[in-house]
Amino acid sequence: MSNHPPIYLTPPSTPAIREAIRAGKLAAIATPAQGNRITADYPAWCADNGAFTGRYPGDEAYLRWLKTMRPYADQCLFVTAPDVVGNHWATLARSRDMLPRIRDMGFPAGFVAQNFMEYCTWDPWEEIDCLFLGGDTAWKLGEEAANLAAVAASMGIWVHMGRVNSRRRYQYAAAIGCHSVDGTYLTYAPDANLPTVLSWARDTAAQPPLFHL
């Protein structure tokens, strides 16, 4: 388990959400298709490629968009290389050349772990700065993903879990050592749901995490 509860990443969609990001209670997530701005007063943010929603703009357009974010690179937790949902082999083929290009722009490079990564002989740890746990739900919550998270954390690599939309999932992410999570929980009624999300971190810090869903 990481030393602190995972920080929740969300689009900076409302004044209340943006204030929580500025206060360090949340962190911002941006995608090329999203339209939300990253600003200098956000202590932490990440860039996701949009592949999960089918809105990845292509490598060159993605890099052009990232270039506009370079003034805020020092606050960036990670930038995900493009991935293919549920397929490690296709993800590796799609993202391997993009990882150094992301790093060359001054951003930490994130690799999205997908189903079957545990069978790959590729040793990623020198090429990535973040392991983003993607894949389908069964794989993400299984032993293989947890083992990969443990290895990454032991190497000093940031670990992130996507699609975290419940207290129980949040506590599981904390239990396997994730440093950050994201989800769509604050997409709908963000201001009304904000206190609930903030309570996840408080409660997780105050009690032993759950190891099983």
Side-chain angles (χ1 to χ4, degrees):
M1 181 175 175
S2 58
N3 293 330
H4 302 283
I7 187 166
Y8 198 92
L9 279 69
T10 189
S13 56
T14 71
I17 297 294
R18 290 191 286 272
E19 183 56 35
I21 292 170
R22 293 187 186 101
K25 297 177 181 179
L26 301 171
I29 186 168
T31 69
Q34 190 180 75
N36 290 314
R37 294 177 59 245
I38 299 299
T39 59
D41 55 353
Y42 290 175
W45 65 279
C46 82
D48 193 24
N49 56 60
F52 182 75
T53 58
R55 303 181 74 182
Y56 181 60
D59 292 352
E60 299 309 319
Y62 188 42
L63 293 171
R64 285 194 299 271
W65 175 73
L66 287 174
K67 187 176 180 180
T68 69
M69 317 287 271
R70 289 178 77 175
Y72 318 113
D74 287 348
Q75 298 118 271
C76 183
L77 299 174
F78 58 86
V79 169
T80 58
D83 59 299
V84 178
V85 178
N87 190 321
H88 167 71
W89 311 105
T91 294
L92 183 59
R94 191 177 195 183
S95 67
R96 185 81 181 269
D97 292 340
M98 284 289 285
L99 293 169
R101 298 182 73 182
I102 291 169
R103 276 183 165 180
D104 287 347
M105 297 185 73
F107 297 106
F111 180 78
V112 185
Q114 301 285 355
N115 299 52
F116 316 122
M117 183 176 175
E118 66 273 18
Y119 298 113
C120 185
T121 58
W122 174 52
D123 185 357
W125 313 119
E126 295 297 322
E127 299 182 41
I128 69 173
D129 305 292
C130 169
L131 183 73
F132 184 121
L133 297 178
D136 63 27
T137 299
W139 186 85
K140 182 199 305 286
L141 301 180
E143 182 179 354
E144 294 83 1
N147 289 340
L148 287 167
V151 173
S154 75
M155 302 285 287
I157 291 169
W158 191 269
V159 181
H160 177 88
M161 179 180 284
R163 303 200 309 279
V164 173
N165 292 304
S166 69
R167 181 187 305 271
R168 203 167 180 86
R169 182 74 56 87
Y170 180 92
Q171 291 179 328
Y172 178 80
I176 66 170
C178 292
H179 303 92
S180 60
V181 300
D182 78 276
T184 58
Y185 192 84
L186 291 175
T187 301
Y188 308 100
D191 292 349
N193 288 331
L194 177 59
T196 299
V197 169
L198 296 180
S199 75
W200 296 350
R202 291 196 304 269
D203 294 349
T204 301
Q207 64 186 24
L210 300 178
F211 284 85
H212 300 288
L213 291 181

